């Protein structure tokens, strides 16, 4: 990514770690499964992907390599969304 508004992965990981106190390894694992879930989601006519947070958290917790409780997974996802919204990369659809 050479865009000027590219996501700084290290900065985002540190932001999530600071907010959740989760380990970098657990954060990376949650984000890996999140990306797999998003990749399988279908885009709407505008090219946007509408993701239900509860369904996403349930999907991640159900992965056999994830040993985190649902609250921890949700906190990691919430912190990631906060970071992405702060940086102008994401938003919520009402």
């Amino acid at each position: 990514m050479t865009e000027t508004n590219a996501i700084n992965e290290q900065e985002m990981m540190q932001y999530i770690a600071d907010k959740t106190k989760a380990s970098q390894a657990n954060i990376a694992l949650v984000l890996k499964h999140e990306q797999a879930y998003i990749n399988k989601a279908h885009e709407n006519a505008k090219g946007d992907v509408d993701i239900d947070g509860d369904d996403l958290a349930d999907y991640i917790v159900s992965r056999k390599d994830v040993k985190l409780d649902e609250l921890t997974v949700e906190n990691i996802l919430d912190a990631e969304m906060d970071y992405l919204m702060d940086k102008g990369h994401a938003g919520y659809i009402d």
Side-chain angles (χ1 to χ4, degrees), residues 64-75:
K64 62 184 173 190
D65 59 338
V66 176
K67 306 295 184 225
L68 302 170
D69 60 82
E70 189 168 354
L71 182 60
T72 301
V73 169
E74 288 175 353
N75 287 339

Side-chain angles (χ1 to χ4, degrees), residues 27-68:
I27 295 167
L29 183 62
V30 168
L31 298 182
K32 177 186 86 166
H33 286 301
E34 175 194 31
Q35 190 60 53
Y37 183 89
I38 291 170
N39 289 344
K40 293 179 187 175
H42 298 287
E43 294 180 356
N44 65 18
K46 295 180 183 177
D48 296 329
V49 177
D50 186 18
I51 302 293
D52 181 281
D54 292 332
D55 291 345
L56 174 59
D58 290 343
Y59 171 83
I60 293 169
V61 170
S62 73
R63 303 298 90 191
K64 62 184 173 190
D65 59 338
V66 176
K67 306 295 184 225
L68 302 170

